[in-house]
Amino acid sequence: MRAAQFRSWVLLTLSALQTASAQTKYEVQTPPLDTDWTYEVGTDPWPEHPRPQLRRDAWQSLNGVWTWSAAKSNDDLNNPPGAGPLDHEVLVPSCIESGLSGLQVLDVNHMWYETNFEVPKSWDSQKVLLHFEAVDYRSTVIINGAKKDTHRGGYSRITLDVTEDVRLNGTNRMLVFVHDPTDTEVIPVGKQTVRPSHIFYRPCSGIWQQVWLEAVPADHIERLDVASNADGEVTVNIVSSSGDGADVQVTVVDQNGNEVATHSGSADKQFTFNVDGVSPWWPDSPTLYNLTVTLGDDEVASYTGFRTISKSEVEGVTRHLLNGEFVFQFGTLDQGYWPDGLHTPPNLEAMVYDLKVLKDFGFNMVRKHIKVEPDLFYEACDRLGLMVIQDMPSTRPDAQPNAEEHAEFRRQLEIMVNEHKSYPSIVSWTIYNEGWGQLDDGQPEEELTKVVRELDPTRLINSVSGWDDHGFGDYHDNHNYAHPQCGTPFYSRPKTPYDPERIGIAGEYGGIGHNVSIEHLWNVKEAIDTIPETYEINEDLESYNYRAMVLFRDLREQTERFACSGAVYTQTTDVEGEVNGLLTYDRRVMRPDLKQWQDDIQSLYEAAASRGGRPVSKGRKY
């Protein structure tokens, strides 16, 4: 389908969706580009338990085919739809702008969702919790006519106690009203825009992560924070529903199924204990330990990895340390976009595929770029051995937040840290990217660095990735694509001078592009027209791999001569009009010469080892 035809089809589809009187049945809509997983999703998507670090046996997925209709404004919330299904079937979870949703509509920012569900009768003595892993952006849930609180934030969880609202002896009707302002408000939005251009992409609106029910005792664990150091010290914070400091017990089981520690403590108050003889978590040996935590009648399963993140001087250079050793961090800018699902990967296999590709190259890190993924993403990084630099989704780069908007950014930043700080693979938090939503005087940057440090003292903080750096946080981070500058006494932007007191990294570099045939491109004319804006275009893969070799040489020499401690290559895959991925957007073409890149990546680790870094052996995929 040509781009112009596709655009006309989308507009006609939108008109039909807004005026149709008969219900439209669900089927995958043909996206501008598909993947090998597009037509394998089916109507029972994402059956996996969504919370790998807080699992109970009594749970029920609500994913699948719901019904949907467009709304006109926020006033529609006061006039919910009457009985019966809505106009169109939709797949949950998905972005309504995606082919997988069954809608693929653009420019709808108010909408209704509807589904019916039953609650197991065996839950009659339990509390019933309703979870939404993420809804973009503002959502209100109505259960059997009872309106619940409105939630703000497109990347954070929603948990509602619906015990008094549901029936155990019949069908329950749920309505969800969603408003996604995208470009019309200054909110954490990442790279979403209703008018895509080059590095800004099609938005994701609606219920884009899993929905599920859970049965819990009246007094139960609401939050479980675990931080485990390489020396065996475990710090636990358990937030209970009652808040009365009830007794809790934590049991640690090693990878062979042996119980290695048991400790009793109190909920709602942080406590620590030690486990002897632990195997630390490393990228080349990502050892994890299972946990069982009990509070009264409540029992949850979780896991942890023993590792310590710190910074110190190594041979006169400020370095980030993993388990007390300097490990060169090398990974990709990973945006987590999919041509068929946009923010929502087609399935777990597809999401993990990208990570396995990176691991096969020899990357030991991934920068999750201004998007927050499903928890299963971080579990996969924990198990594969990929360190994660986690970005806070930014506000629009062309807007300066006012005091209220800054406060909301801070609130959502705190939520992101609290929801993910138990995943051992996450090694640092990034607050701002390239000045987007950042004030010029640096005061919010200083404030937010202190906020994150207090919430999570176990990790490092990259206050500013790219530029407009006022000296806060643990990193000096330079972005320069075709000529990497990493911990060097030379730099290209006047606001990012070399700072030997902080860790030198290249937070983004590379970006070398290579165009491909139309069957591997996002077939939207506006995106194709921006391909020449890619940082560098190579005519063929021979020149592409030559240029990569040159960039590796530059980075390696800066590691050997100066203070380069890590780098982020841009990027894992193409996205819409960007053609600078290791993989094309459909994941069907790999550009790099795998053996050449493996050798060059290994040479970076060896260069770091020559400057006091952790010794490496040939072939180690860390």
Side-chain angles (χ1 to χ4, degrees):
M1 184 182 295
R2 295 182 181 275
Q5 292 175 320
F6 173 76
R7 180 71 179 177
S8 298
W9 177 83
V10 168
L11 292 174
L12 288 171
T13 302
L14 174 60
S15 176
L17 287 171
Q18 292 173 328
T19 60
S21 57
Q23 187 185 75
T24 304
K25 297 299 182 182
Y26 172 75
E27 63 177 330
V28 177
Q29 300 299 300
T30 303
L33 182 66
D34 62 16
T35 72
D36 290 344
W37 299 276
T38 303
Y39 304 104
E40 297 180 359
V41 172
T43 57
D44 182 25
W46 290 92
E48 299 83 8
H49 191 292
R51 299 262 183 96
Q53 290 192 324
L54 195 69
R55 302 191 316 275
R56 297 179 178 91
D57 293 334
W59 75 285
Q60 175 179 305
S61 173
L62 296 184
N63 301 338
V65 175
W66 295 27
T67 62
W68 179 94
S69 64
K72 294 181 180 179
S73 71
N74 287 328
D75 292 339
D76 288 19
L77 178 58
N78 299 317
N79 186 27
L86 305 181
D87 297 335
H88 313 278
E89 291 189 341
V90 62
L91 191 69
V92 170
S94 65
C95 310
I96 66 167
E97 296 87 351
S98 73
L100 287 180
S101 72
L103 302 173
Q104 196 163 228
V105 294
L106 307 180
D107 301 322
V108 174
N109 53 22
H110 295 87
M111 65 206 77
W112 283 103
Y113 287 83
E114 183 266 355
T115 193
N116 295 300
F117 63 91
E118 294 183 0
V119 179
K121 292 180 180 179
S122 60
W123 293 6
D124 60 353
S125 61
Q126 305 282 294
K127 281 189 172 293
V128 179
L129 302 182
L130 171 65
H131 303 283
F132 292 78
E133 292 302 293
V135 181
D136 200 339
Y137 170 77
R138 192 176 286 115
S139 56
T140 304
V141 178
I142 302 174
I143 303 287
N144 294 329
K147 185 182 293 186
K148 312 301 286 187
D149 291 342
T150 295
H151 176 86
R152 287 180 298 166
Y155 304 92
S156 54
R157 306 167 185 158
I158 307 167
T159 294
L160 302 171
D161 184 344
V162 296
T163 310
E164 302 302 319
D165 307 308
V166 297
R167 295 184 288 266
L168 273 68
N169 57 352
T171 299
N172 298 276
R173 187 183 192 222
M174 175 162 59
L175 291 166
V176 184
F177 183 77
V178 179
H179 172 217
D180 187 5
T182 310
D183 292 341
T184 60
E185 296 181 17
V186 181
I187 59 175
V189 73
K191 288 194 171 183
Q192 301 179 67
T193 177
V194 296
R195 298 291 178 263
S197 62
H198 191 45
I199 65 169
F200 299 98
Y201 318 125
R202 180 175 289 189
C204 171
S205 302
I207 305 171
W208 71 277
Q209 288 192 34
Q210 297 190 58
V211 186
W212 54 296
L213 291 171
E214 185 178 33
V216 300
D219 191 6
H220 60 274
I221 298 169
E222 289 189 342
R223 196 174 104 194
L224 172 62
D225 300 333
V226 180
S228 304
N229 291 340
D231 62 5
E233 182 182 72
V234 183
T235 301
V236 180
N237 180 42
I238 296 171
V239 178
S240 70
S241 58
S242 63
D244 61 2
D247 293 338
V248 295
Q249 181 171 288
V250 181
T251 301
V252 184
V253 176
D254 69 14
Q255 56 272 25
N256 297 317
N258 300 313
E259 183 178 309
V260 294
T262 299
H263 184 81
S264 297
S266 298
D268 309 302
K269 182 179 180 181
Q270 182 174 292
F271 59 87
T272 63
F273 63 94
N274 289 283
V275 181
D276 295 330
V278 299
S279 297
W281 186 94
W282 295 97
D284 59 323
S285 56
T287 303
L288 299 175
Y289 289 73
N290 290 325
L291 303 176
T292 301
V293 184
T294 57
L295 183 156
D297 294 330
D298 192 19
E299 179 177 289
V300 300
S302 189
Y303 71 88
T304 191
F306 289 86
R307 88 287 178 270
T308 301
I309 300 155
S310 60
K311 68 175 180 179
S312 184
E313 280 197 8
V314 177
E315 297 186 359
V317 178
T318 305
R319 303 290 196 185
H320 46 216
L321 307 181
L322 178 64
N323 304 331
E325 297 189 57
F326 165 40
V327 175
F328 191 91
Q329 294 182 13
F330 189 61
T332 58
L333 193 80
D334 192 85
Q335 307 207 69
Y337 273 77
W338 295 82
D340 44 14
L342 303 179
H343 271 192
T344 308
N347 54 30
L348 180 62
E349 177 191 3
M351 184 176 72
V352 175
Y353 172 81
D354 283 1
L355 301 176
K356 288 182 176 179
V357 167
L358 299 182
K359 194 69 179 177
D360 195 40
F361 270 87
F363 293 104
N364 65 5
M365 173 267 286
V366 62
R367 178 183 173 193
K368 178 42 60 181
H369 189 44
I370 51 181
K371 179 194 176 191
V372 181
E373 293 284 5
D375 281 31
L376 294 169
F377 174 91
Y378 304 98
E379 181 192 29
C381 292
D382 291 342
R383 298 194 182 282
L384 288 171
L386 279 169
M387 294 180 284
V388 177
I389 298 172
Q390 177 62 52
D391 288 14
M392 173 62 189
S394 61
T395 58
R396 297 193 341 247
D398 60 345
Q400 291 283 306
N402 59 30
E404 182 180 355
E405 292 160 347
H406 170 72
E408 181 60 22
F409 181 86
R410 169 178 169 164
R411 185 187 72 87
Q412 293 190 33
L413 171 65
E414 293 180 17
I415 291 172
M416 182 191 76
V417 172
N418 280 328
E419 287 187 347
H420 297 88
K421 63 184 181 182
S422 293
Y423 288 102
S425 56
I426 298 177
V427 295
S428 60
W429 306 106
T430 299
I431 299 174
Y432 286 117
N433 178 72
E434 295 186 348
W436 300 355
Q438 177 188 354
L439 300 183
D440 292 336
D441 61 8
Q443 291 183 8
E445 179 188 334
E446 179 181 18
E447 169 210 358
L448 295 178
T449 302
K450 292 178 180 177
V451 166
V452 174
R453 189 86 70 196
E454 184 173 345
L455 289 174
D456 182 12
T458 72
R459 290 182 175 86
L460 302 179
I461 301 170
N462 190 353
S463 302
V464 173
S465 183
W467 46 79
D468 293 352
D469 183 353
H470 301 92
F472 302 105
D474 300 302
Y475 288 94
H476 167 254
D477 179 350
N478 225 318
H479 293 187
N480 198 338
Y481 277 84
H483 303 282
Q485 297 169 5
C486 180
T488 61
F490 52 88
Y491 49 92
S492 299
R493 292 180 63 90
K495 291 187 178 181
T496 54
Y498 171 63
D499 182 358
E501 299 301 315
R502 292 183 293 160
I503 304 160
I505 62 170
E508 294 177 29
Y509 93 99
I512 56 176
H514 165 252
N515 207 347
V516 289
S517 53
I518 189 65
E519 62 264 29
H520 300 295
L521 290 174
W522 177 251
N523 196 354
V524 175
K525 182 179 184 302
E526 292 84 351
I528 291 174
D529 288 346
T530 66
I531 286 176
E533 297 179 38
T534 300
Y535 304 103
E536 174 183 304
I537 295 289
N538 287 265
E539 291 295 327
D540 52 44
L541 291 180
E542 182 180 5
S543 62
Y544 169 90
N545 281 291
Y546 164 75
R547 285 290 294 134
M549 181 178 62
V550 171
L551 296 180
F552 274 117
R553 183 188 65 203
D554 287 349
L555 204 59
R556 182 171 60 250
E557 290 179 353
Q558 290 173 29
T559 303
E560 293 168 340
R561 291 171 179 265
F562 302 117
C564 183
S565 294
V568 179
Y569 181 84
T570 304
Q571 59 185 323
T572 305
T573 74
D574 295 352
V575 184
E576 299 192 9
E578 288 189 279
V579 293
N580 55 358
L582 305 178
L583 301 169
T584 50
Y585 199 14
D586 58 5
R587 276 74 170 172
R588 292 185 175 117
V589 177
M590 180 185 292
R591 293 186 174 95
D593 179 304
L594 180 59
K595 180 62 167 59
Q596 175 194 311
W597 280 59
Q598 288 173 332
D599 290 345
D600 281 332
I601 291 171
Q602 180 74 12
S603 74
L604 290 177
Y605 300 143
E606 291 171 355
S610 74
R611 298 291 306 279
R614 186 179 185 223
V616 297
S617 58
K618 193 69 174 177
R620 172 183 279 168
K621 294 180 180 178
Y622 89 155

